[in-house]
Amino acid sequence: MKVTESDDVISFAGGLPNPISFPIEALKASANHAITENGSRLFQYSSTQGYAPLREYIAAKYQRVHGLDIHADDVFITTGSQQALELLGKVLIDKGDGIVIEEPGYLGAIQAFTLSEPTFYGVTLENDGLNLEELEHALQQPNVKFVYTVPNFQNPTGLTYSKEKRQQICEIMAKYDDVALIEDDPYGELRFQGEPLPYIGAGKLENSILLGSFSKTVTPGMRLGFIITKNKELMQHIETAKQATDLHTNIFSQYVIYDYLANNDYMEHVQKIIALYKNQADAMLNAMEEFFPAHVDYTRPEGGMFIWATMNNGASAVDVFHKAMDQNVAFVPGDPFYTSKTGVNTMRLNYTNATPEVIREGIKRLGSIL
Amino acid sequence: MKVTESDDVISFAGGLPNPISFPIEALKASANHAITENGSRLFQYSSTQGYAPLREYIAAKYQRVHGLDIHADDVFITTGSQQALELLGKVLIDKGDGIVIEEPGYLGAIQAFTLSEPTFYGVTLENDGLNLEELEHALQQPNVKFVYTVPNFQNPTGLTYSKEKRQQICEIMAKYDDVALIEDDPYGELRFQGEPLPYIGAGKLENSILLGSFSKTVTPGMRLGFIITKNKELMQHIETAKQATDLHTNIFSQYVIYDYLANNDYMEHVQKIIALYKNQADAMLNAMEEFFPAHVDYTRPEGGMFIWATMNNGASAVDVFHKAMDQNVAFVPGDPFYTSKTGVNTMRLNYTNATPEVIREGIKRLGSIL
């Protein structure tokens, strides 16, 4: 990533929220307010599961918004959702166990799970979700512990599972009740088009695990994510692993974020981010329409932060990356998002960190070499 | 621990800093100042190795105070020093590898390393440091990756390695240059008696690893610790593991702590904690002198947070714990601090979280049942 961060480069490579979306003044006020109200409790060691009012807030929201029977004891606060992935790897995977992952899939998840040395079974991610035949086949492999999905505005593709496919996947998973279904949903609230859809397994499957984060809607710098599961045994294992890993999540930040959520209009704030990202996504899609040759396909995300482009002229994304860098444009070639392929013809383009004008210029330059 | 936290119980069980030692107003001012100065940089994703000015501050301090040739690139910020232990376990231990640990040793380290499934070789911690004969024997076992020590005011015993023993251990370690020496030093600045001593291996051994923390001198709630090593290959592995584990340490807190360190008289602050803890340690030692029977031995720490008591009348610490709870007094029986013993006759007593009057009353009650 380092080469892509020079000032002259137009970078579509990162996956950062737009810093103008951070509610800085409100978080500053919350830091002051939380310290005044709670004093030394922000600064002392704290509980491994996380700050109870924050867990209650999250549970109430999942009840209200998603109609799920979630209570504070079903919520576990993590040091960002990256740590949620790492803890799930630790407690669910023994070396060599199988895990099922979208192909292409989220790089951070691949990195986190790799620490536990699983066997990856990649299942093709189609426009409407996982390929069902491949999913069934993967679930029949030995010692499969979980299926990992990003159902909304997936990283890296920006794709969203359709309602029908969610139901079909749930029906398949119900037959394999020892296999957990992880739904990682950092972007779900950032929908700028279409209707929200129900989760695949949450509220339906016994071994459902939901992951969430404040990184894409409030601030990633405070590293606050969470795991939701009604499996008590799993929750106990997560707590033991978390205790040994970093004792507990930064309690100062938990108080600040909770104070922010309790005293601000969060939905109004999220609407502002949605408007910002919709404008940026439209700018990128319009520029692609104008400047990309016909052999390049690309996704049309309904939310989130990424567009996924596929070159159908035999070019390799890594080769194109080097040519693009000569034009001072950066993106992430698709290779690291696959567990078993290289030399792929796909690329991830992030639109949340440049103005519409800069996006248009970057896509124009990129189009000239495709 | 949960049973020991009722209001009626006098608890010597925890290991918490005294909350009156937290510089709350100064940290509040630093939160405001850091946000005003740096804006969105406190809230965005950040570098895996940690905030550069904070690493520079730490490096400069180790140069100045300890005369060590440490630079910012030799410092890695972790989510508390618990995470430092966990990352070192991840990168240094393959299942079954040997690690050498003090017996009794720090429970958090045992828990962190256990995640990587090592073979523990316990070496008796004597009044002046590790037993040298046992250390040599342990180092001759197969695949030993590191020796883990807490040289100053050890947890759980409060013991400090003598200058002579430090030299002897360094000479022994120099013969085993593939084996790292971890010196975990969260309490080193909290010395209320005697002269500071040089580290065992830092500045002398190639595979020296120092661990430090802001948890015992500023605040544990922000979970900020650090690893210092000049081994570049090890540092690279730590960075890769950290990236997969939680991306980076909470950057908001790194800015706040750095601002606090840059704009306050840290040494004056530490002197206040030292005076507080010395008074509490004296109260506990005086009460032990007055109320403990002659068959009980105990350490006389020169700093830190703990006293270690040994009962020489055949009693088991777990039995005594239950009797003590009937008297509403709590401590930690020695058992969890050993990797291979149970039914031990030792106990850890923390003195930093009660007033001298309450300490005297608690030790009086405990003395009555010993």
Side-chain angles (χ1 to χ4, degrees), chain A residues 16-17 24 28 32 36 40 43-45 82-83 86 90 216 219-223 244-248 250-253, chain B residues 16-17 24 28 32 36 40 43-45 82-83 86 90 216 219-223 244-248 250-253:
Chain A
L16 308 184
I24 297 179
K28 188 177 184 181
N32 285 295
T36 303
S40 65
F43 300 95
Q44 186 58 284
Y45 285 108
Q82 185 68 27
Q83 188 188 51
E86 197 262 348
K90 258 184 189 144
K216 305 306 187 292
T219 166
M222 290 190 183
R223 314 299 308 117
T245 298
D246 63 1
L247 300 185
H248 63 80
N250 187 309
I251 185 66
F252 182 90
S253 292
Chain B
L16 307 184
I24 297 178
K28 188 177 182 181
N32 285 295
T36 304
S40 66
F43 300 96
Q44 186 57 286
Y45 285 109
Q82 184 68 27
Q83 188 188 52
E86 198 263 347
K90 259 184 189 145
K216 305 306 187 291
T219 166
M222 290 190 182
R223 313 301 306 117
T245 298
D246 63 3
L247 300 185
H248 64 80
N250 187 310
I251 186 65
F252 182 91
S253 292

Short mmCIF file of all heavy atoms in Angstrom, two decimals, chain A residues 16-17 24 28 32 36 40 43-45 82-83 86 90 216 219-223 244-248 250-253, chain B residues 16-17 24 28 32 36 40 43-45 82-83 86 90 216 219-223 244-248 250-253:
data_model
loop_
_atom_site.label_atom_id
_atom_site.label_comp_id
_atom_site.label_asym_id
_atom_site.label_seq_id
_atom_site.Cartn_x
_atom_site.Cartn_y
_atom_site.Cartn_z
N LEU A 16 -10.42 3.30 3.26
CA LEU A 16 -10.62 4.19 4.41
C LEU A 16 -11.93 4.94 4.28
O LEU A 16 -12.29 5.39 3.19
CB LEU A 16 -9.49 5.21 4.49
CG LEU A 16 -8.05 4.71 4.47
CD1 LEU A 16 -7.10 5.87 4.67
CD2 LEU A 16 -7.83 3.65 5.54
N PRO A 17 -12.63 5.13 5.42
CA PRO A 17 -13.77 6.05 5.39
C PRO A 17 -13.26 7.45 5.05
O PRO A 17 -12.10 7.78 5.28
CB PRO A 17 -14.29 6.03 6.83
CG PRO A 17 -13.63 4.90 7.51
CD PRO A 17 -12.37 4.59 6.76
N ILE A 24 -16.20 14.78 14.51
CA ILE A 24 -15.10 15.12 15.42
C ILE A 24 -15.58 15.97 16.60
O ILE A 24 -15.26 15.65 17.76
CB ILE A 24 -13.98 15.85 14.65
CG1 ILE A 24 -13.40 14.89 13.58
CG2 ILE A 24 -12.87 16.32 15.60
CD1 ILE A 24 -12.30 15.49 12.73
N LYS A 28 -15.51 14.89 20.52
CA LYS A 28 -14.77 15.69 21.50
C LYS A 28 -15.68 16.04 22.68
O LYS A 28 -15.29 15.88 23.85
CB LYS A 28 -14.27 16.96 20.81
CG LYS A 28 -13.33 17.82 21.63
CD LYS A 28 -12.87 19.01 20.76
CE LYS A 28 -11.86 19.89 21.45
NZ LYS A 28 -11.49 21.03 20.57
N ASN A 32 -15.30 14.72 26.72
CA ASN A 32 -15.38 15.58 27.91
C ASN A 32 -16.54 15.18 28.81
O ASN A 32 -16.39 15.07 30.03
CB ASN A 32 -15.54 17.05 27.47
CG ASN A 32 -14.22 17.61 26.97
OD1 ASN A 32 -13.27 17.75 27.72
ND2 ASN A 32 -14.16 17.93 25.69
N THR A 36 -16.33 13.68 32.64
CA THR A 36 -16.99 14.42 33.73
C THR A 36 -17.98 13.53 34.47
O THR A 36 -18.05 13.54 35.70
CB THR A 36 -17.72 15.66 33.15
OG1 THR A 36 -16.76 16.45 32.45
CG2 THR A 36 -18.36 16.48 34.26
N SER A 40 -12.79 8.16 36.98
CA SER A 40 -11.73 7.16 36.86
C SER A 40 -12.19 5.89 36.15
O SER A 40 -11.35 5.10 35.71
CB SER A 40 -11.17 6.81 38.24
OG SER A 40 -12.16 6.20 39.04
N PHE A 43 -10.64 5.09 32.95
CA PHE A 43 -9.18 4.93 32.92
C PHE A 43 -8.69 3.64 33.57
O PHE A 43 -7.53 3.30 33.47
CB PHE A 43 -8.53 6.15 33.59
CG PHE A 43 -8.88 7.44 32.91
CD1 PHE A 43 -9.93 8.23 33.35
CD2 PHE A 43 -8.19 7.83 31.77
CE1 PHE A 43 -10.27 9.40 32.69
CE2 PHE A 43 -8.52 9.00 31.10
CZ PHE A 43 -9.57 9.79 31.56
N GLN A 44 -9.58 2.93 34.27
CA GLN A 44 -9.20 1.71 35.00
C GLN A 44 -9.34 0.49 34.09
O GLN A 44 -9.98 0.56 33.03
CB GLN A 44 -10.13 1.58 36.23
CG GLN A 44 -9.80 0.45 37.18
CD GLN A 44 -8.40 0.48 37.77
OE1 GLN A 44 -7.42 0.15 37.08
NE2 GLN A 44 -8.29 0.88 39.04
N TYR A 45 -8.74 -0.63 34.50
CA TYR A 45 -9.05 -1.91 33.85
C TYR A 45 -10.56 -2.12 33.88
O TYR A 45 -11.26 -1.60 34.76
CB TYR A 45 -8.37 -3.07 34.59
CG TYR A 45 -6.88 -3.17 34.35
CD1 TYR A 45 -5.98 -2.83 35.35
CD2 TYR A 45 -6.38 -3.62 33.14
CE1 TYR A 45 -4.60 -2.93 35.14
CE2 TYR A 45 -5.01 -3.73 32.92
CZ TYR A 45 -4.13 -3.39 33.93
OH TYR A 45 -2.78 -3.49 33.72
N GLN A 82 -11.68 -6.52 13.10
CA GLN A 82 -10.52 -7.37 12.78
C GLN A 82 -10.26 -8.35 13.93
O GLN A 82 -10.00 -9.53 13.72
CB GLN A 82 -9.27 -6.53 12.51
CG GLN A 82 -8.05 -7.34 12.06
CD GLN A 82 -8.21 -7.95 10.67
OE1 GLN A 82 -8.94 -7.44 9.83
NE2 GLN A 82 -7.54 -9.07 10.43
N GLN A 83 -10.32 -7.84 15.17
CA GLN A 83 -10.09 -8.75 16.29
C GLN A 83 -11.21 -9.77 16.43
O GLN A 83 -10.97 -10.90 16.87
CB GLN A 83 -9.95 -7.99 17.61
CG GLN A 83 -9.52 -8.94 18.72
CD GLN A 83 -9.55 -8.33 20.09
OE1 GLN A 83 -10.52 -7.74 20.53
NE2 GLN A 83 -8.44 -8.45 20.80
N GLU A 86 -10.18 -12.52 14.29
CA GLU A 86 -9.03 -13.25 14.85
C GLU A 86 -9.47 -14.13 16.02
O GLU A 86 -9.05 -15.28 16.13
CB GLU A 86 -7.97 -12.24 15.28
CG GLU A 86 -6.60 -12.82 15.48
CD GLU A 86 -6.31 -13.13 16.92
OE1 GLU A 86 -7.06 -12.68 17.82
OE2 GLU A 86 -5.33 -13.84 17.19
N LYS A 90 -9.32 -18.18 16.40
CA LYS A 90 -8.70 -18.84 17.56
C LYS A 90 -9.59 -19.89 18.19
O LYS A 90 -9.13 -20.98 18.54
CB LYS A 90 -8.43 -17.78 18.64
CG LYS A 90 -7.00 -17.31 18.73
CD LYS A 90 -6.88 -16.35 19.91
CE LYS A 90 -5.52 -15.69 19.89
NZ LYS A 90 -5.58 -14.30 20.35
N LYS A 216 -16.88 2.24 10.19
CA LYS A 216 -17.29 2.84 8.93
C LYS A 216 -18.34 3.93 9.12
O LYS A 216 -18.66 4.65 8.18
CB LYS A 216 -17.84 1.75 7.98
CG LYS A 216 -16.86 0.59 7.73
CD LYS A 216 -15.50 1.08 7.23
CE LYS A 216 -14.57 -0.07 6.83
NZ LYS A 216 -14.10 -0.90 7.96
N THR A 219 -15.95 6.10 13.75
CA THR A 219 -14.49 6.28 13.65
C THR A 219 -13.79 4.93 13.69
O THR A 219 -14.09 4.10 14.55
CB THR A 219 -13.94 7.16 14.81
OG1 THR A 219 -12.51 7.04 14.86
CG2 THR A 219 -14.51 6.76 16.16
N PRO A 220 -12.85 4.69 12.76
CA PRO A 220 -12.05 3.47 12.84
C PRO A 220 -10.89 3.59 13.84
O PRO A 220 -10.38 2.59 14.32
CB PRO A 220 -11.51 3.29 11.42
CG PRO A 220 -11.51 4.66 10.82
CD PRO A 220 -12.60 5.44 11.52
N GLY A 221 -10.48 4.83 14.14
CA GLY A 221 -9.29 5.03 14.97
C GLY A 221 -9.43 4.49 16.37
O GLY A 221 -8.43 4.17 17.02
N MET A 222 -10.67 4.38 16.86
CA MET A 222 -10.89 3.87 18.21
C MET A 222 -11.00 2.35 18.26
O MET A 222 -11.11 1.78 19.35
CB MET A 222 -12.13 4.51 18.83
CG MET A 222 -11.94 5.98 19.15
SD MET A 222 -13.33 6.59 20.14
CE MET A 222 -12.88 8.33 20.29
N ARG A 223 -10.96 1.69 17.11
CA ARG A 223 -10.95 0.23 17.06
C ARG A 223 -12.06 -0.39 17.90
O ARG A 223 -11.78 -1.08 18.89
CB ARG A 223 -9.58 -0.34 17.48
CG ARG A 223 -8.36 0.32 16.89
CD ARG A 223 -8.25 0.28 15.36
NE ARG A 223 -8.38 -1.06 14.81
CZ ARG A 223 -9.38 -1.41 13.99
NH1 ARG A 223 -10.31 -0.57 13.61
NH2 ARG A 223 -9.42 -2.62 13.52
N ALA A 244 -6.94 -13.54 27.32
CA ALA A 244 -5.54 -13.87 27.09
C ALA A 244 -4.92 -13.00 25.99
O ALA A 244 -3.70 -12.87 25.91
CB ALA A 244 -5.40 -15.35 26.72
N THR A 245 -5.76 -12.38 25.15
CA THR A 245 -5.27 -11.66 23.98
C THR A 245 -4.96 -10.20 24.29
O THR A 245 -3.90 -9.69 23.93
CB THR A 245 -6.30 -11.75 22.83
OG1 THR A 245 -6.45 -13.13 22.48
CG2 THR A 245 -5.87 -10.96 21.62
N ASP A 246 -5.90 -9.48 24.92
CA ASP A 246 -5.61 -8.09 25.31
C ASP A 246 -6.42 -7.63 26.52
O ASP A 246 -6.65 -6.43 26.69
CB ASP A 246 -5.77 -7.13 24.12
CG ASP A 246 -7.19 -7.06 23.57
OD1 ASP A 246 -8.09 -7.73 24.11
OD2 ASP A 246 -7.42 -6.31 22.59
N LEU A 247 -6.85 -8.58 27.33
CA LEU A 247 -7.62 -8.36 28.57
C LEU A 247 -9.03 -7.82 28.30
O LEU A 247 -10.01 -8.43 28.68
CB LEU A 247 -6.89 -7.43 29.55
CG LEU A 247 -5.52 -7.89 30.05
CD1 LEU A 247 -5.01 -6.89 31.10
CD2 LEU A 247 -5.56 -9.29 30.63
N HIS A 248 -9.10 -6.66 27.68
CA HIS A 248 -10.40 -6.08 27.34
C HIS A 248 -10.17 -4.98 26.32
O HIS A 248 -9.04 -4.50 26.16
CB HIS A 248 -11.11 -5.54 28.58
CG HIS A 248 -10.39 -4.40 29.26
ND1 HIS A 248 -10.45 -3.10 28.80
CD2 HIS A 248 -9.56 -4.37 30.33
CE1 HIS A 248 -9.73 -2.32 29.59
NE2 HIS A 248 -9.16 -3.07 30.52
N ASN A 250 -10.23 -1.23 24.88
CA ASN A 250 -10.06 0.14 25.38
C ASN A 250 -11.37 0.69 25.96
O ASN A 250 -12.32 0.95 25.22
CB ASN A 250 -9.59 0.98 24.17
CG ASN A 250 -9.20 2.41 24.54
OD1 ASN A 250 -9.94 3.12 25.20
ND2 ASN A 250 -8.03 2.82 24.07
N ILE A 251 -11.42 0.86 27.28
CA ILE A 251 -12.68 1.24 27.92
C ILE A 251 -12.94 2.74 27.77
O ILE A 251 -14.09 3.17 27.70
CB ILE A 251 -12.72 0.78 29.40
CG1 ILE A 251 -14.08 1.06 30.05
CG2 ILE A 251 -11.60 1.40 30.22
CD1 ILE A 251 -15.23 0.27 29.48
N PHE A 252 -11.88 3.53 27.70
CA PHE A 252 -12.04 4.96 27.46
C PHE A 252 -12.86 5.18 26.18
O PHE A 252 -13.86 5.90 26.17
CB PHE A 252 -10.65 5.60 27.33
CG PHE A 252 -10.67 7.09 27.13
CD1 PHE A 252 -10.64 7.95 28.21
CD2 PHE A 252 -10.70 7.63 25.85
CE1 PHE A 252 -10.65 9.33 28.02
CE2 PHE A 252 -10.71 9.00 25.66
CZ PHE A 252 -10.68 9.85 26.76
N SER A 253 -12.45 4.52 25.11
CA SER A 253 -13.15 4.68 23.83
C SER A 253 -14.57 4.12 23.88
O SER A 253 -15.47 4.65 23.23
CB SER A 253 -12.36 4.01 22.71
OG SER A 253 -11.15 4.70 22.50
N LEU B 16 -5.00 -4.07 40.36
CA LEU B 16 -5.35 -2.80 39.72
C LEU B 16 -4.53 -1.66 40.29
O LEU B 16 -4.30 -1.60 41.50
CB LEU B 16 -6.83 -2.48 39.96
CG LEU B 16 -7.86 -3.55 39.60
CD1 LEU B 16 -9.26 -3.00 39.83
CD2 LEU B 16 -7.70 -4.01 38.17
N PRO B 17 -4.13 -0.71 39.43
CA PRO B 17 -3.56 0.53 39.96
C PRO B 17 -4.62 1.24 40.80
O PRO B 17 -5.81 1.05 40.59
CB PRO B 17 -3.25 1.36 38.71
CG PRO B 17 -3.38 0.45 37.55
CD PRO B 17 -4.25 -0.69 37.97
N ILE B 24 -6.45 12.29 35.67
CA ILE B 24 -7.69 12.44 34.88
C ILE B 24 -7.80 13.81 34.21
O ILE B 24 -8.06 13.91 33.01
CB ILE B 24 -8.93 12.15 35.75
CG1 ILE B 24 -8.88 10.70 36.24
CG2 ILE B 24 -10.22 12.41 34.98
CD1 ILE B 24 -10.02 10.31 37.16
N LYS B 28 -7.78 14.59 30.25
CA LYS B 28 -8.91 15.28 29.63
C LYS B 28 -8.40 16.48 28.81
O LYS B 28 -8.80 16.67 27.65
CB LYS B 28 -9.88 15.75 30.72
CG LYS B 28 -11.19 16.32 30.24
CD LYS B 28 -12.04 16.67 31.48
CE LYS B 28 -13.40 17.21 31.11
NZ LYS B 28 -14.17 17.56 32.34
N ASN B 32 -8.58 16.98 24.56
CA ASN B 32 -9.03 18.19 23.87
C ASN B 32 -7.93 18.79 23.01
O ASN B 32 -8.15 19.15 21.85
CB ASN B 32 -9.53 19.22 24.89
CG ASN B 32 -10.88 18.84 25.44
OD1 ASN B 32 -11.86 18.80 24.71
ND2 ASN B 32 -10.96 18.50 26.72
N THR B 36 -7.83 19.15 18.92
CA THR B 36 -7.72 20.49 18.32
C THR B 36 -6.52 20.57 17.38
O THR B 36 -6.60 21.13 16.28
CB THR B 36 -7.59 21.55 19.43
OG1 THR B 36 -8.72 21.41 20.29
CG2 THR B 36 -7.53 22.96 18.86
N SER B 40 -8.85 15.04 12.29
CA SER B 40 -9.30 13.72 11.86
C SER B 40 -8.24 12.63 12.00
O SER B 40 -8.58 11.44 11.98
CB SER B 40 -9.79 13.78 10.41
OG SER B 40 -8.71 14.06 9.54
N PHE B 43 -8.88 9.93 14.39
CA PHE B 43 -10.09 9.12 14.19
C PHE B 43 -9.99 8.17 13.00
O PHE B 43 -10.84 7.32 12.83
CB PHE B 43 -11.30 10.06 14.03
CG PHE B 43 -11.52 10.93 15.23
CD1 PHE B 43 -11.02 12.23 15.27
CD2 PHE B 43 -12.17 10.43 16.35
CE1 PHE B 43 -11.19 13.02 16.40
CE2 PHE B 43 -12.35 11.21 17.48
CZ PHE B 43 -11.86 12.51 17.50
N GLN B 44 -8.96 8.32 12.17
CA GLN B 44 -8.80 7.51 10.96
C GLN B 44 -8.01 6.23 11.28
O GLN B 44 -7.39 6.12 12.34
CB GLN B 44 -8.06 8.35 9.91
CG GLN B 44 -7.92 7.73 8.53
CD GLN B 44 -9.24 7.34 7.87
OE1 GLN B 44 -9.87 6.35 8.26
NE2 GLN B 44 -9.65 8.12 6.85
N TYR B 45 -8.07 5.26 10.37
CA TYR B 45 -7.13 4.13 10.45
C TYR B 45 -5.71 4.67 10.50
O TYR B 45 -5.42 5.76 10.01
CB TYR B 45 -7.29 3.22 9.22
CG TYR B 45 -8.52 2.35 9.23
CD1 TYR B 45 -9.58 2.61 8.38
CD2 TYR B 45 -8.62 1.26 10.08
CE1 TYR B 45 -10.72 1.80 8.37
CE2 TYR B 45 -9.75 0.45 10.08
CZ TYR B 45 -10.79 0.73 9.22
OH TYR B 45 -11.90 -0.07 9.21
N GLN B 82 -0.41 -6.99 27.48
CA GLN B 82 -0.98 -8.34 27.29
C GLN B 82 -0.90 -8.72 25.81
O GLN B 82 -0.54 -9.85 25.49
CB GLN B 82 -2.44 -8.36 27.75
CG GLN B 82 -3.09 -9.74 27.68
CD GLN B 82 -2.51 -10.73 28.68
OE1 GLN B 82 -2.02 -10.34 29.73
NE2 GLN B 82 -2.55 -12.01 28.34
N GLN B 83 -1.20 -7.78 24.91
CA GLN B 83 -1.11 -8.11 23.49
C GLN B 83 0.33 -8.33 23.05
O GLN B 83 0.59 -9.14 22.16
CB GLN B 83 -1.73 -7.02 22.61
CG GLN B 83 -1.79 -7.49 21.16
CD GLN B 83 -2.20 -6.42 20.18
OE1 GLN B 83 -1.63 -5.34 20.16
NE2 GLN B 83 -3.20 -6.73 19.39
N GLU B 86 0.93 -11.85 23.71
CA GLU B 86 0.20 -12.71 22.79
C GLU B 86 0.87 -12.71 21.42
O GLU B 86 1.02 -13.76 20.79
CB GLU B 86 -1.25 -12.23 22.71
CG GLU B 86 -2.21 -13.25 22.14
CD GLU B 86 -2.47 -13.03 20.68
OE1 GLU B 86 -2.11 -11.95 20.14
OE2 GLU B 86 -3.02 -13.93 20.04
N LYS B 90 2.57 -15.78 19.34
CA LYS B 90 2.20 -16.09 17.96
C LYS B 90 3.41 -16.23 17.05
O LYS B 90 3.46 -17.14 16.23
CB LYS B 90 1.36 -14.95 17.40
CG LYS B 90 -0.12 -15.20 17.37
CD LYS B 90 -0.82 -14.02 16.70
CE LYS B 90 -2.32 -14.13 16.86
NZ LYS B 90 -2.94 -12.81 17.03
N LYS B 216 0.42 1.01 34.37
CA LYS B 216 0.64 1.14 35.80
C LYS B 216 1.04 2.56 36.21
O LYS B 216 1.07 2.87 37.40
CB LYS B 216 1.73 0.15 36.26
CG LYS B 216 1.43 -1.31 35.90
CD LYS B 216 0.06 -1.77 36.40
CE LYS B 216 -0.18 -3.26 36.20
NZ LYS B 216 -0.32 -3.67 34.80
N THR B 219 -2.58 5.11 32.68
CA THR B 219 -3.92 4.53 32.68
C THR B 219 -3.92 3.17 32.00
O THR B 219 -3.36 3.03 30.91
CB THR B 219 -4.95 5.45 31.95
OG1 THR B 219 -6.14 4.70 31.70
CG2 THR B 219 -4.40 5.98 30.64
N PRO B 220 -4.53 2.16 32.64
CA PRO B 220 -4.68 0.86 31.96
C PRO B 220 -5.87 0.84 31.00
O PRO B 220 -5.90 0.02 30.08
CB PRO B 220 -4.90 -0.12 33.11
CG PRO B 220 -5.46 0.69 34.23
CD PRO B 220 -4.97 2.11 34.05
N GLY B 221 -6.83 1.74 31.20
CA GLY B 221 -8.07 1.69 30.41
C GLY B 221 -7.84 1.92 28.93
O GLY B 221 -8.63 1.48 28.10
N MET B 222 -6.75 2.64 28.58
CA MET B 222 -6.48 2.90 27.16
C MET B 222 -5.68 1.78 26.49
O MET B 222 -5.43 1.84 25.30
CB MET B 222 -5.74 4.23 27.01
CG MET B 222 -6.63 5.42 27.33
SD MET B 222 -5.80 6.98 26.86
CE MET B 222 -7.04 8.17 27.39
N ARG B 223 -5.26 0.78 27.25
CA ARG B 223 -4.60 -0.41 26.69
C ARG B 223 -3.44 -0.01 25.77
O ARG B 223 -3.47 -0.26 24.57
CB ARG B 223 -5.59 -1.29 25.91
CG ARG B 223 -6.92 -1.60 26.59
CD ARG B 223 -6.82 -2.31 27.94
NE ARG B 223 -6.05 -3.52 27.90
CZ ARG B 223 -4.92 -3.71 28.57
NH1 ARG B 223 -4.42 -2.77 29.35
NH2 ARG B 223 -4.27 -4.82 28.50
N ALA B 244 -2.87 -8.67 11.23
CA ALA B 244 -3.93 -9.68 11.14
C ALA B 244 -4.76 -9.75 12.42
O ALA B 244 -5.87 -10.25 12.42
CB ALA B 244 -3.32 -11.04 10.83
N THR B 245 -4.21 -9.23 13.51
CA THR B 245 -4.85 -9.38 14.82
C THR B 245 -5.83 -8.26 15.12
O THR B 245 -6.96 -8.50 15.55
CB THR B 245 -3.77 -9.45 15.92
OG1 THR B 245 -2.96 -10.61 15.67
CG2 THR B 245 -4.38 -9.54 17.30
N ASP B 246 -5.41 -7.01 14.97
CA ASP B 246 -6.35 -5.89 15.18
C ASP B 246 -5.98 -4.64 14.37
O ASP B 246 -6.36 -3.53 14.74
CB ASP B 246 -6.52 -5.56 16.67
CG ASP B 246 -5.24 -5.08 17.35
OD1 ASP B 246 -4.19 -4.94 16.67
OD2 ASP B 246 -5.28 -4.82 18.57
N LEU B 247 -5.25 -4.84 13.27
CA LEU B 247 -4.82 -3.79 12.33
C LEU B 247 -3.81 -2.82 12.95
O LEU B 247 -2.71 -2.67 12.48
CB LEU B 247 -6.00 -2.99 11.76
CG LEU B 247 -7.05 -3.77 10.97
CD1 LEU B 247 -8.07 -2.81 10.38
CD2 LEU B 247 -6.44 -4.61 9.87
N HIS B 248 -4.20 -2.15 14.03
CA HIS B 248 -3.29 -1.24 14.73
C HIS B 248 -3.90 -0.91 16.08
O HIS B 248 -5.10 -1.15 16.31
CB HIS B 248 -3.06 0.04 13.90
CG HIS B 248 -4.29 0.87 13.70
ND1 HIS B 248 -4.80 1.72 14.66
CD2 HIS B 248 -5.15 0.96 12.65
CE1 HIS B 248 -5.89 2.33 14.19
NE2 HIS B 248 -6.12 1.87 12.98
N ASN B 250 -5.42 1.42 18.94
CA ASN B 250 -6.27 2.63 19.06
C ASN B 250 -5.44 3.91 18.92
O ASN B 250 -4.64 4.24 19.80
CB ASN B 250 -6.94 2.56 20.44
CG ASN B 250 -7.99 3.62 20.68
OD1 ASN B 250 -7.72 4.81 20.46
ND2 ASN B 250 -9.15 3.22 21.14
N ILE B 251 -5.60 4.62 17.80
CA ILE B 251 -4.75 5.78 17.52
C ILE B 251 -5.20 7.01 18.31
O ILE B 251 -4.37 7.84 18.70
CB ILE B 251 -4.67 6.05 15.99
CG1 ILE B 251 -3.67 7.18 15.67
CG2 ILE B 251 -6.03 6.36 15.40
CD1 ILE B 251 -2.22 6.86 15.99
N PHE B 252 -6.48 7.10 18.58
CA PHE B 252 -6.99 8.18 19.43
C PHE B 252 -6.23 8.19 20.76
O PHE B 252 -5.67 9.21 21.18
CB PHE B 252 -8.49 7.98 19.66
CG PHE B 252 -9.14 9.06 20.47
CD1 PHE B 252 -9.70 10.17 19.86
CD2 PHE B 252 -9.22 8.97 21.86
CE1 PHE B 252 -10.30 11.18 20.60
CE2 PHE B 252 -9.81 9.97 22.61
CZ PHE B 252 -10.35 11.07 21.98
N SER B 253 -6.16 7.04 21.40
CA SER B 253 -5.48 6.95 22.70
C SER B 253 -3.98 7.19 22.57
O SER B 253 -3.37 7.74 23.49
CB SER B 253 -5.75 5.58 23.33
OG SER B 253 -7.12 5.48 23.68
#
